[in-house]
Amino acid sequence: MAHSLSLSHSLSMTIADKILQRIENINDYFTFSLYSSVCRSLFEKHKLLFAFLLCVRVLMNSGKVDMSEWRYLLAGGTHTPKQLPNPASDWLSDRAWEEFLTLAALPKFKDFVDDFENHLEAYKSIFDSVQPHREPLPSEWNTSLDSFQKILVLRCLRADKVTNAFQDFVATNLGQRFIEPQTVDLGVVFKDSSATCPLIFVLSPGTDPAADLYKFAEEMKFSKKLNAISLGQGQGPRAEAMLKSALGRGKWVFFQNCHLAPSWMPSLERVIEQIDPDKVHRDFRVWMTSMPSPKFPVSILQNGSKMTVEPPRGIKANLLKYYINFSDEIFNSCEGKVNAFKHLLLSLCFFHGCLLERRKFGALGFNIPYEFTDGDLQICVSQLKMFLMEYTDIPFKVLKYTAGHINYGGRVTDDWDRRCLMNILEGFYSAAVLHGDYKYSESGIYRQINSASEHEGYMGYIKSLPINDTPEIFGLHENANITFAQNETFILLGSLLQLQPKSAAGGGQSREEVLEETARSILERVPLPINEAAVMEKHPVLYEESMNTVLIQEVGRFNQLLQVIHSSLNDLLKALKGLVVMSQALEEMSNSLFINAVPALWTSKAYPSLKPLASWVTDLVARMQFMQDWIDNGIPKVFWISGFFFPQAFLTGTLQNFARRNLVSIDTISFGFEVLKQPVHHLEEAPTHGCYVRGLFIEGARWDQDAHLLVESRPKELYTDMPGIWFYPEVNRKQPDTAFYLCPLYKTLQRAGTLSTTGHSTNYVLAIEIPSDKPQYHWIRRGVAMLCALDY
């Protein structure tokens, strides 16, 4: 009896184990199947985001991820429990230390900053590591923190490696296959489709899946049954007739560029919805291509199978794409100048690849991310061939003008971007590239090859290039890769933040409690509007002193912002208590406060800034302190140019003072610049003319105070402080010819701006001459610029 009971118990245990294993297998299969299906319709940059979100949601369901820690990862901290000085200012940036101070607000990390200075060497080795996301943390932190919590530490220390940590996190918790590339297989997509399910290619600039579809149609013996039409003006009725004809005859229809026929989209939606599954031929399929567009019918998107099509990434992939379409016949078609044509053709393709890939570096590459296309390259190749055939000598001036100012330059709307483009072109389109040993980069990895090489030789050279581009080919510093990786991290976190439900709570606190605490904290810190009448009485408008006018205008602008902040926060507190209705504007504002973002209600009245809410409030308080000091103590000896709402007015006021005192026309005056050797806090009085300014940063290079020159950045040092600068007005000033870099000054890291009603850019301030022993083009390609404020 006992034996049979034991056997029965053993069997039931085995069955239970099998059931649990079966459930686990089903879950694993379903999770990966869901991931694979969704990935087909995601762009490459969003695939890791989806995998990470999927992984975190699974862990949240098991209670393994704390909500307050999740919120910190996405939005950063808003509260600093205690202020401590940076213990390693020689290698740890102020931004990273501020992040650590806010991290201490999380219960698990309350002792982290106190313990940090006990392990400075260990953290320095992590900071300097090539793979900091895989380095163990010092002492008990390595065992007491789980893998998710370690990502929070990495976010503070090396934000550029957070995406790599995400990959490892997903691989550990879900499996390696969730981070491996998911390629689109038309056969698999077709197998999952039906006659009533449209197949949609979501395009990127510079892509066309038509060739792949024609090839697939041939494999499926449908090449003669595939009818294609490129949509545009007046093509709607033809496309509709084609679709209706194909329904009963089992043909395929291919509608290209649906985004170019927005007015016909409702008709397409109606026809697709009216397809009767019982009457339609089972072989019928409708294929479509479209760029992302708000006009594309949502119902077709929801019911269709979507696939993304992206252009190749990297200079090597782009060169392969172009050279596959070239041949020895094309090379030899330029009679008499075959060698020059080969050399300049390779240069042109390198140039095109550089322009496309510079965009990934954000504002370091170009202020505005232009959509250069293969058509720009093709017209340049045609013109190159034509000009080589028509002219005896190679007309480099004409070639550079047509390529730089017309074909590519026609898309460029920013003057500083145009300067950058023309300087890059100079390195690829000149007589020097006709030499077989010419190097496009310092290392010589990217170089010209012997013009005696046939098409096969060029293909062999291109295949030998590295898959991942080094910044040197773009003329950028090695730090540019860190900037790119950091931007990628914060874009990914920002996208995750937008996907979060609005009702989430924050570890122990409800959403309403978090909002109330944040609102009260801001109200306590931000001062009330300044009494403008008292300011005007103390600093009256005078002909001899334009700075008084500047001060009064600045106070007026700040008062508008302060009024909106105080009234909206008080209204929000009342709405949280149910005393007033929570309006749409207050709802949007509360969402922003919850995710540590500056509400749109405030930014509409504020100066340009990229800072998160916590830093933005600190910055606002500092600006108001600068204004209050000016009001109380008179005109400052040194002006904090970053503290102005509208710095251009301040600079004009400085020129106006000089013009009125010296009785000269303001139109004939411009600024000269001198970088000060002594620290600004040692300056005891203002200059006799012009002004001293402080508070500027430089990106892409650094200022060497000993050599008194612009020099290369240190490794991992993305931004550095500039010393004080003396802006001195001069009449009919001529710019020096050499030994300087004309450096643009912007208000924010974004650099790009729009022309405001005052005629000034919303971002660009002015250009400053900085001493340099390197030629201008070196710093232009580096993307060097000065900034009034950073994004932290």
Side-chain angles (χ1 to χ4, degrees):
M1 182 73 177
H3 176 71
S4 61
L5 278 171
S6 171
L7 189 63
S8 171
H9 180 69
S10 173
L11 282 169
S12 62
M13 286 287 285
T14 307
I15 292 166
D17 288 344
K18 283 184 178 177
I19 291 171
L20 288 172
Q21 184 62 48
R22 174 80 176 137
I23 291 169
E24 193 177 319
N25 291 345
I26 290 169
N27 277 341
D28 287 348
Y29 178 82
F30 175 76
T31 307
F32 187 67
S33 178
L34 171 74
Y35 171 74
S36 300
S37 300
V38 173
C39 268
R40 282 204 299 258
S41 59
L42 294 178
F43 288 116
E44 204 60 46
K45 62 184 179 183
H46 294 138
K47 287 177 183 175
L48 176 60
L49 182 150
F50 177 63
F52 182 68
L53 190 57
L54 188 66
C55 180
V56 169
R57 286 283 177 238
V58 170
L59 294 174
M60 278 180 180
N61 195 49
S62 310
K64 292 178 182 175
V65 173
D66 180 82
M67 285 307 294
S68 59
E69 291 172 358
W70 173 240
R71 184 166 164 249
Y72 181 91
L73 174 69
L74 302 189
T78 55
H79 171 56
T80 305
K82 57 179 171 181
Q83 285 291 348
L84 293 170
N86 185 346
S89 54
D90 55 325
W91 60 268
L92 187 67
S93 69
D94 290 339
R95 176 184 195 157
W97 183 243
E98 283 166 20
E99 296 272 14
F100 277 127
L101 291 176
T102 56
L103 183 65
L106 298 172
K108 190 77 179 176
F109 296 88
K110 67 179 189 297
D111 300 321
F112 192 88
V113 287
D114 294 315
D115 189 52
F116 188 87
E117 61 182 320
N118 299 329
H119 308 286
L120 289 180
E121 283 302 315
Y123 286 114
K124 174 89 164 56
S125 67
I126 296 172
F127 180 79
D128 291 334
S129 172
V130 179
Q131 294 186 318
H133 56 293
R134 290 180 178 164
E135 296 287 338
L137 292 176
S139 71
E140 74 276 3
W141 294 109
N142 197 49
T143 50
S144 64
L145 299 181
D146 61 32
S147 55
F148 182 82
Q149 290 163 339
K150 285 175 183 175
I151 295 177
L152 303 188
V153 177
L154 187 71
R155 186 192 193 279
C156 303
L157 193 63
R158 286 286 301 273
D160 57 303
K161 292 294 181 181
V162 167
T163 47
N164 302 70
F166 282 178
Q167 288 178 329
D168 285 2
F169 185 77
V170 172
T172 304
N173 290 284
L174 289 184
Q176 183 70 23
R177 57 186 180 164
F178 282 85
I179 59 167
E180 285 170 355
Q182 299 287 315
T183 53
V184 173
D185 184 337
L186 287 182
V188 174
V189 179
F190 181 76
K191 209 162 128 184
D192 292 347
S193 70
S194 68
T196 57
C197 168
L199 297 117
I200 307 149
F201 292 102
V202 185
L203 304 177
S204 299
T207 58
D208 184 8
D212 293 332
L213 181 59
Y214 292 139
K215 187 180 174 185
F216 178 66
E218 211 167 290
E219 287 171 13
M220 299 294 291
K221 308 289 188 286
F222 260 84
S223 54
K224 291 181 181 175
K225 289 186 178 182
L226 172 62
N227 296 328
I229 185 168
S230 187
L231 294 176
Q233 195 171 9
Q235 295 299 308
R238 283 187 60 203
E240 192 168 333
M242 187 186 287
L243 190 144
K244 287 178 178 175
S245 163
L247 279 170
R249 298 164 67 187
K251 287 189 171 187
W252 290 2
V253 288
F254 182 31
F255 296 151
Q256 294 176 276
N257 302 321
C258 291
H259 59 283
L260 298 181
S263 59
W264 185 65
M265 286 299 102
S267 302
L268 175 65
E269 184 177 22
R270 189 191 66 250
V271 174
I272 297 288
E273 281 177 350
Q274 289 173 355
I275 294 174
D276 188 340
D278 299 324
K279 293 181 181 176
V280 69
H281 195 291
R282 66 188 185 124
D283 288 340
F284 168 77
R285 293 291 186 279
V286 57
W287 303 79
M288 306 176 191
T289 71
S290 176
M291 294 285 280
S293 166
K295 301 286 184 184
F296 196 88
V298 175
S299 65
I300 296 179
L301 270 180
Q302 287 174 337
N303 298 325
S305 281
K306 297 163 288 293
M307 299 151 281
T308 52
V309 188
E310 295 186 83
R313 297 176 80 178
I315 286 178
K316 177 180 179 176
N318 277 296
L319 285 175
L320 279 173
K321 175 183 159 190
Y322 311 140
Y323 269 78
I324 278 171
N325 297 318
F326 296 150
S327 63
D328 287 325
E329 191 180 340
I330 292 172
F331 286 169
N332 298 324
S333 62
C334 196
E335 292 174 17
K337 290 183 181 167
V338 173
N339 290 347
F341 180 63
K342 284 181 180 179
H343 282 321
L344 290 169
L345 181 63
L346 181 63
S347 265
L348 201 51
C349 291
F350 263 127
F351 169 68
H352 182 74
C354 272
L355 293 191
L356 291 181
E357 294 304 309
R358 265 185 86 98
R359 292 180 304 187
K360 73 181 183 184
F361 297 104
L364 265 181
F366 288 115
N367 291 352
I368 298 164
Y370 303 101
E371 296 292 352
F372 299 113
T373 66
D374 289 352
D376 300 330
L377 175 65
Q378 286 159 8
I379 190 70
C380 282
V381 171
S382 301
Q383 287 173 345
L384 171 63
K385 190 173 171 183
M386 181 180 75
F387 288 134
L388 286 177
M389 300 284 279
E390 285 185 8
Y391 287 79
T392 310
D393 296 323
I394 300 171
F396 283 108
K397 193 173 180 182
V398 177
L399 287 170
K400 276 187 270 200
Y401 189 86
T402 52
H405 286 290
I406 300 171
N407 302 333
Y408 288 97
R411 298 183 186 277
V412 178
T413 54
D414 184 286
D415 288 340
W416 297 99
D417 283 344
R418 187 180 297 277
R419 179 180 79 155
C420 181
L421 185 142
M422 293 307 296
N423 268 272
I424 294 167
L425 182 61
E426 190 67 42
F428 291 100
Y429 233 16
S430 64
V433 305
L434 299 178
H435 301 290
D437 58 351
Y438 181 78
K439 295 176 183 177
Y440 296 107
S441 63
E442 286 179 24
S443 67
I445 294 170
Y446 302 92
R447 65 182 192 280
Q448 190 60 262
I449 67 169
N450 194 323
S451 59
S453 302
E454 301 294 321
H455 179 255
E456 197 177 316
Y458 277 91
M459 289 296 286
Y461 164 65
I462 292 166
K463 285 173 183 174
S464 73
L465 292 173
I467 294 171
N468 297 316
D469 307 319
T470 53
E472 61 168 2
I473 182 63
F474 307 108
L476 295 166
H477 190 273
E478 283 296 323
N479 285 349
N481 270 342
I482 299 175
T483 302
F484 163 59
Q486 273 194 4
N487 291 344
E488 207 171 39
T489 293
F490 291 120
I491 288 168
L492 190 137
L493 293 175
S495 302
L496 280 169
L497 202 52
Q498 289 178 328
L499 295 170
Q500 296 312 296
K502 299 292 183 276
S503 58
Q509 284 185 304
S510 69
R511 188 171 187 273
E512 287 69 26
E513 286 171 337
V514 172
L515 288 172
E516 187 174 347
E517 185 183 308
T518 306
R520 290 195 186 283
S521 167
I522 295 171
L523 280 172
E524 283 172 15
R525 296 180 63 200
V526 174
L528 290 164
I530 295 168
N531 185 334
E532 286 186 59
V535 175
M536 290 180 78
E537 189 179 333
K538 191 171 182 180
H539 302 275
V541 174
L542 297 171
Y543 178 81
E544 303 81 25
E545 190 47 82
S546 297
M547 285 299 121
N548 289 0
T549 308
V550 172
L551 174 62
I552 291 162
Q553 288 174 347
E554 286 290 311
V555 167
R557 293 188 186 101
F558 276 113
N559 275 354
Q560 285 183 349
L561 174 60
L562 296 175
Q563 185 64 47
V564 168
I565 291 172
H566 280 274
S567 62
S568 60
L569 284 175
N570 284 317
D571 286 347
L572 178 63
L573 289 172
K574 288 175 186 173
L576 290 172
K577 289 176 180 174
L579 300 175
V580 296
V581 176
M582 180 73 82
S583 65
Q584 178 68 25
L586 288 177
E587 182 65 39
E588 288 172 2
M589 179 179 150
S590 69
N591 291 338
S592 297
L593 293 181
F594 187 68
I595 62 171
N596 194 26
V598 184
L601 193 64
W602 301 356
T603 54
S604 64
K605 301 286 183 187
Y607 40 83
S609 178
L610 301 176
K611 294 178 186 287
L613 180 63
S615 304
W616 187 86
V617 171
T618 303
D619 179 59
L620 174 61
V621 172
R623 287 173 188 250
M624 294 315 301
Q625 186 59 52
F626 170 64
M627 288 294 148
Q628 195 60 54
D629 287 346
W630 186 347
I631 293 164
D632 296 342
N633 306 318
I635 296 170
K637 298 182 188 71
V638 182
F639 289 92
W640 181 33
I641 195 168
S642 313
F644 284 100
F645 223 103
F646 189 49
Q648 289 96 329
F650 154 68
L651 296 171
T652 304
T654 305
L655 292 175
Q656 207 166 48
N657 275 350
F658 180 84
R660 287 172 178 175
R661 284 170 194 163
N662 294 279
L663 303 176
V664 292
S665 168
I666 195 169
D667 295 342
T668 63
I669 307 168
S670 58
F671 280 117
F673 308 92
E674 184 182 316
V675 182
L676 301 174
K677 291 186 177 177
Q678 69 265 52
V680 288
H681 58 269
H682 287 174
L683 297 168
E684 293 179 1
E685 55 185 41
T688 52
H689 59 283
C691 58
Y692 296 138
V693 302
R694 64 178 174 88
L696 298 179
F697 305 90
I698 190 159
E699 181 183 22
R702 68 181 175 90
W703 178 256
D704 186 325
Q705 192 68 346
D706 297 328
H708 212 66
L709 287 171
L710 194 64
V711 295
E712 297 290 1
S713 302
R714 295 186 185 96
K716 300 188 183 71
E717 197 174 62
L718 306 183
Y719 320 107
T720 50
D721 295 349
M722 276 296 290
I725 301 177
W726 178 23
F727 286 42
Y728 57 88
E730 281 187 349
V731 181
N732 298 322
R733 183 176 183 276
K734 287 185 179 177
Q735 202 174 72
D737 296 325
T738 56
F740 79 99
Y741 167 59
L742 190 63
C743 183
L745 170 64
Y746 299 96
K747 294 178 187 176
T748 71
L749 275 166
Q750 194 175 4
R751 302 195 189 183
T754 55
L755 206 62
S756 65
T757 51
T758 60
H760 293 278
S761 166
T762 53
N763 209 328
Y764 171 71
V765 182
L766 85 165
I768 298 175
E769 295 156 12
I770 308 178
S772 166
D773 59 355
K774 285 187 168 67
Q776 285 235 41
Y777 70 79
H778 177 82
W779 302 117
I780 291 170
R781 292 176 195 174
R782 283 276 195 265
V784 175
M786 288 169 72
L787 309 157
C788 289
L790 303 178
D791 58 353
Y792 59 88

